[in-house]
Amino acid sequence: MLILLILCSLVVPSHTATELLQNADFEQDISGHWHCNGCTVTKSSTHYHGNYSAMVTHRFKEEILNMLPSCIAEKVLKKKANWAGLQQTLSVTGGKTYVYRGYIKVLNTLSGHMYHTMDLMARMSVNGHNKFTLMSRMLYLRKDLGWVEIGGDITIPDGTSSIVIYPQISEPDINYLLDDMSFQELPVDNNFKNEAKSRIEKIRKSDIHISLQNPHSLDTSNMEIEKKTYCIATEYILIKYQNFIYNNFEYAVIKNKLKWRLIEWTRWYVESFLNSRIKVRGHCMFWDVNGHSPAWLDGLSKTDMLSEMHKRVNDTINHTRGTLVHWDVNNENLHGDYFEKHLGNPDITAKMFHWMHAAEPNPYKAQAVGLKAAGVPISGIGIQGHFHSSDFDINIVKAGIPIWITEMSVSDHDDHKKAETIENLLTLYFSHPSVHGVLFWGFWDGDIGHNVNALATGANVTPNAAGLRYQQLRQSWTSNFRQSLAHARDGLSFRGFHGEYELKVKKNGHVIETKTFSLGPNGNNVTINLQGS
């Protein structure tokens, strides 16, 4: 069973663009280009890269208040000067996308706090007015974590003349180091689809060699090779809905039925998929956002809550052991910290993974790296993959580590724009060797959270333009072969997409031999023995 850590955003690397920050690694005099707004900055020999880093201290100095009108000073006090930090003003171009990246090391954790939150903020001057944008949020910052990567991407509105990006930490007494900072324009790859198709041909297909032993008269024989699809045999699913799944998908996730607050204590849902040979994911064991756990947990002591969490894992795994290929252990814990706060334990997610691994051992980048370094048994990374519009730059979607897109959706009232976006995303995902799977978070407007995400509509589950595009794309990534054996005594060779296949040899229209086989990255040599046929 694969154990997944579910995250909510993709890390976007950029390696070829020009660096726009001056003295980005703080090896030169910091005061030359950087400005510490409401704080003090000095060089530190503790570094992530090079020889020096920037140390930010005395955030929100008392003398600043004395320079402000009383009404403004009061507002500043209420906000605790979280804006106080190191920044550099940069010129940008409207319509372009830029990537910000760097490393932070928190030097102290305040008493009464398990960890601290950093917001990466952008202040843009747009047509003469300031516009503030939250680029990313990092929970769980604390001293013992050492250097942590921060960053985000931003598309610049038209009319923007400059941008300032700065970290915000609410507690002014938190000091930290910054190093190896970067701000670059994201290169636009207008040929990405052709390049992706070339990668797909290389990494998603392999050679099949068919050898025939003891062939008899093959003049009227032919061979058919088809990738396998599986039927969903369930009584409660609308037949049209059932057939859409049967014809279009190979994995299923039961969206809510295994969540703690909503669980139904039968195996009916899981077994109905397994009986039809559809692989099933478990979603999710825990959910770290407030309001998504049983309400009765809130009033429990720490000891009782831990006991209930252990019971949740053991009872659920006893219920599903051996049936699920993946488990999402702690959902949305990059922006949720329900269990951390209630238990007073910033490392509770690591414990969850150990519990899961002990119960069934076969099965956000910085957090995943930290957990792996601590020996936590993570088998893969999950990215939800919700796109709230078709209007975004495909170049910002990158992946560099083994990953599943676990909740893909594209929201757009225009099904044709949605179709184009889905094709671009799936082509990019399928072309990347690190992406191991993609699951849509619903597809039918009769059973989906937002109708604008639907691929099929109405009582007949009729595919819309986006659904038709998905079907066409899936068909183009499916290998089926028909070949006469009249001149094939020396065997046949094909190149097909990876997956499960069924081979049938027919003579005079009757099946005389059947064989199933798998095709993976190393290809396959398949031998058909026609002895006695």
Side-chain angles (χ1 to χ4, degrees):
M1 182 177 70
L2 179 68
I3 299 179
L4 292 179
L5 172 67
I6 295 303
L7 314 183
C8 306
S9 61
L10 286 172
V11 176
V12 185
S14 177
H15 304 293
T16 60
T18 301
E19 179 57 58
L20 300 180
L21 283 174
Q22 300 295 319
N23 193 18
D25 56 2
F26 307 109
E27 298 300 296
Q28 304 167 22
D29 179 19
I30 297 178
S31 63
H33 298 283
W34 292 95
H35 170 58
C36 208
N37 188 24
C39 58
T40 298
V41 59
T42 55
K43 270 190 172 185
S44 171
S45 58
T46 301
H47 55 269
Y48 177 82
H49 178 265
N51 298 308
Y52 299 100
S53 67
M55 182 165 63
V56 178
T57 60
H58 299 91
R59 296 171 50 245
F60 181 53
K61 292 179 290 188
E62 191 69 30
E63 56 265 30
I64 295 176
L65 278 183
N66 299 328
M67 300 170 57
L68 299 174
S70 59
C71 59
I72 298 178
E74 183 178 351
K75 292 180 180 180
V76 170
L77 276 172
K78 287 182 178 179
K79 291 185 177 181
K80 298 183 180 179
N82 56 5
W83 44 264
L86 194 62
Q87 56 188 241
Q88 188 174 137
T89 302
L90 300 164
S91 298
V92 289
T93 303
K96 300 287 188 179
T97 299
Y98 295 83
V99 178
Y100 187 89
R101 192 218 67 228
Y103 291 86
I104 188 171
K105 182 177 182 179
V106 171
L107 296 177
N108 57 317
T109 304
L110 299 186
S111 175
H113 293 262
M114 294 182 291
Y115 44 81
H116 298 277
T117 299
M118 186 219 71
D119 289 341
L120 189 62
M121 297 296 300
R123 184 181 78 242
M124 293 174 283
S125 177
V126 184
N127 296 320
H129 300 282
N130 283 335
K131 178 180 179 181
F132 294 86
T133 300
L134 174 64
M135 291 180 61
S136 66
R137 173 167 291 168
M138 177 72 69
L139 288 176
Y140 313 120
L141 285 178
R142 59 185 201 260
K143 182 179 178 180
D144 62 301
L145 291 181
W147 290 102
V148 175
E149 184 176 1
I150 59 175
D153 61 85
I154 187 168
T155 299
I156 304 300
D158 290 335
T160 302
S161 58
S162 64
I163 187 171
V164 175
I165 300 175
Y166 54 97
Q168 287 190 163
I169 299 179
S170 294
E171 296 78 21
D173 293 327
I174 291 297
N175 302 319
Y176 54 84
L177 303 176
L178 293 173
D179 199 5
D180 200 25
M181 311 303 289
S182 174
F183 187 75
Q184 301 177 3
E185 180 184 333
L186 184 69
V188 176
D189 183 4
N190 294 318
N191 195 38
F192 95 90
K193 190 171 288 187
N194 288 332
E195 294 170 350
K197 289 178 179 178
S198 297
R199 291 196 300 270
I200 288 171
E201 181 68 25
K202 181 179 180 180
I203 69 174
R204 300 297 185 185
K205 298 176 76 173
S206 296
D207 294 325
I208 308 169
H209 301 286
I210 309 295
S211 300
L212 301 177
Q213 290 186 351
N214 304 308
H216 295 273
S217 175
L218 300 177
D219 292 346
T220 59
S221 300
N222 64 75
M223 181 170 60
E224 299 177 357
I225 303 177
E226 294 185 346
K227 279 196 73 176
K228 285 179 152 186
T229 55
Y230 306 117
C231 177
I232 294 182
T234 56
E235 298 175 2
Y236 71 101
I237 295 181
L238 180 69
I239 189 65
K240 298 288 187 180
Y241 182 78
Q242 170 186 324
N243 287 339
F244 194 96
I245 299 175
Y246 165 73
N247 290 321
N248 293 284
F249 302 111
E250 296 175 1
Y251 276 78
V253 57
I254 304 164
K255 295 201 304 186
N256 293 315
K257 297 302 181 183
L258 292 176
K259 292 176 179 175
W260 199 353
R261 192 168 64 91
L262 302 168
I263 191 165
E264 179 174 320
W265 289 101
T266 74
R267 294 183 64 183
W268 207 84
Y269 285 96
V270 174
E271 287 181 343
S272 63
F273 286 111
L274 297 177
N275 290 338
S276 53
R277 302 179 70 182
I278 292 283
K279 300 179 182 70
V280 183
R281 300 179 63 251
H283 179 80
C284 50
M285 185 60 71
F286 299 104
W287 194 348
D288 221 357
V289 175
N290 286 333
H292 294 292
S293 294
W296 47 263
L297 283 176
D298 294 348
L300 298 183
S301 67
K302 294 178 182 179
T303 300
D304 288 343
M305 180 178 282
L306 276 173
S307 177
E308 290 296 336
M309 292 171 70
H310 279 286
K311 186 175 185 295
R312 157 71 173 164
V313 171
N314 293 329
D315 287 355
T316 306
I317 294 299
N318 286 339
H319 196 62
T320 62
R321 183 174 284 109
T323 63
L324 306 180
V325 294
H326 304 167
W327 257 112
D328 299 337
V329 176
N330 193 12
N331 191 40
E332 297 186 346
N333 73 324
L334 283 188
H335 61 267
D337 54 0
Y338 172 84
F339 291 104
E340 286 79 2
K341 285 185 174 178
H342 279 70
L343 294 171
N345 184 351
D347 298 316
I348 190 61
T349 292
K351 292 186 179 297
M352 293 176 185
F353 277 84
H354 283 294
W355 300 341
M356 291 287 290
H357 186 71
E360 189 167 13
N362 296 328
Y364 179 175
K365 183 178 177 182
Q367 187 180 50
V369 170
L371 290 173
K372 290 292 284 185
V376 177
I378 300 174
S379 307
I381 303 298
I383 294 293
Q384 290 189 342
H386 296 293
F387 291 85
H388 301 296
S389 168
S390 293
D391 186 19
F392 69 92
D393 187 348
I394 190 67
N395 292 280
I396 70 171
V397 185
K398 304 286 184 181
I401 49 180
I403 200 170
W404 275 73
I405 312 300
T406 59
E407 298 184 15
M408 179 172 164
S409 66
V410 176
S411 302
D412 205 306
H413 292 281
D414 187 330
D415 290 334
H416 295 280
K417 288 179 64 178
K418 182 165 58 179
E420 186 68 20
T421 300
I422 286 174
E423 178 176 338
N424 287 342
L425 287 170
L426 289 180
T427 300
L428 181 62
Y429 293 152
F430 198 47
S431 74
H432 201 297
S434 293
V435 178
H436 291 190
V438 180
L439 295 105
F440 283 99
W441 198 241
F443 65 89
W444 177 45
D445 66 354
D447 184 26
I448 198 169
H450 303 285
N451 285 350
V452 291
N453 298 348
L455 306 181
T457 61
N460 290 324
V461 195
T462 304
N464 57 25
L468 289 172
R469 185 74 63 90
Y470 166 73
Q471 290 176 329
Q472 293 165 3
L473 199 60
R474 185 174 183 272
Q475 183 61 36
S476 71
W477 294 335
T478 301
S479 303
N480 297 311
F481 307 101
R482 303 287 187 277
Q483 180 68 47
S484 169
L485 299 182
H487 305 289
R489 293 181 181 273
D490 295 329
L492 296 166
S493 294
F494 304 93
R495 186 166 177 81
F497 285 98
H498 299 161
E500 304 296 317
Y501 284 83
E502 184 174 74
L503 180 153
K504 293 181 179 179
V505 179
K506 293 182 178 180
K507 185 172 184 178
N508 297 323
H510 299 287
V511 177
I512 61 173
E513 191 69 33
T514 300
K515 191 177 185 71
T516 59
F517 63 92
S518 298
L519 181 63
N522 296 324
N524 202 340
N525 296 309
V526 181
T527 299
I528 304 297
N529 192 334
L530 299 177
Q531 180 69 40
S533 300

